[in-house]
Amino acid sequence: MNFRILSIDGGGIKGIFPASFLAQIEDKTGKRIVDHFDLIAGTSTGGIIALGLGLGFRAADILKFYREQGRIIFPRQTRISRVWGQLTQYFTVAYSSEPLERVLQNIFEHRRLGESICRLVVPAFDAVRGDVHIYKTSHNERLTTDFRTEAWQVALATASAPTYFPCFKTPNGSSLIDGGVWANNPAMVALTDALALLQIPSDQISMLSIGTTESPLSIGRLKRTRGGKLLWASTAVDLLMHGQSLAATKQASLILGRDRFLRVNPIVGPGIYGPDDVNAAEELIGYGESEARSLSSHIVEKFLQTPVQPFVPVHHLNCSDQKEN
């Protein structure tokens, strides 16, 4: 039986697309996504979705969260306020993290990563040590600490995107930022865990990788020929994230083969959806529903034929962990 991986990209409010896609699949099939994947990886907004699925939320509940809380997390939605926000991002973060922290606490309450019913991998980045930081459920004997972390803290760490939110300071003093700075597409992070930690042969792994929509990217002549730091500043982040995502997709596809790797990431118009553009919510929902309608039979055939074996963690939460706070 194949070991099935679900990988979900980062992208801010564009997480509405994968939430909508998965909600439509669940609605059409009557099956819970979490029951049919052995491991779920998610970065940033994808990490929030992964945590929600692992903790037993239906995809429709996660989509409802985005629709209801999007404007609380990203309050600047008039044209003037958005332009002003884009200008101020050159000097400070665009948004306070307090609303995001509050809504994450409200949805996840005091539930822990170790309560997930599925293996989870959620990338972040340690801004002080300059090193990757990956939250993982206890699916290997070496994973002895992360499972005690409250889910809202994991979500806030992976979603603290530079220039949008300040870094998340953990209770032990680490300063963590969005995992998208190195793994916005976490397909290879998830695949590495399956191959190296879980010792699953590559020919027994299949993966569904979901993006948050993609815009065509090209580098203008002026930047290519004369571009300095100022000219590159506006597109450098998008370029690096696009390159990482493309590399992860190609690497995972090469390792697994096209028959066992499916990428869902529709191409949309250049720059029409920003990570904080809540006004695009309904269009993103429509994209998710449309992709699900066209791919549902393929998804069922490849990933939803039979439930996976129940996840049994190596290390378990004890009563004191669950009663804290």
Side-chain angles (χ1 to χ4, degrees), residues 165-179:
F165 299 108
C167 68
F168 170 62
K169 294 188 176 180
T170 69
N172 66 7
S174 297
S175 295
L176 303 181
I177 59 175
D178 193 323

Side-chain angles (χ1 to χ4, degrees), residues 23-75:
Q24 186 74 4
I25 293 293
E26 287 191 334
D27 182 64
K28 289 177 71 67
T29 64
K31 300 178 180 182
R32 289 199 312 174
I33 293 296
V34 71
D35 295 330
H36 292 79
F37 287 90
D38 296 280
L39 185 152
I40 302 177
T43 298
S44 192
T45 194
I48 295 173
I49 297 172
L51 287 161
L53 294 173
L55 293 175
F57 290 87
R58 303 285 298 205
D61 297 325
I62 301 170
L63 177 58
K64 181 180 178 182
F65 166 79
Y66 278 99
R67 297 180 80 168
E68 293 182 348
Q69 307 301 328
R71 293 185 184 277
I72 295 174
I73 299 168
F74 300 113

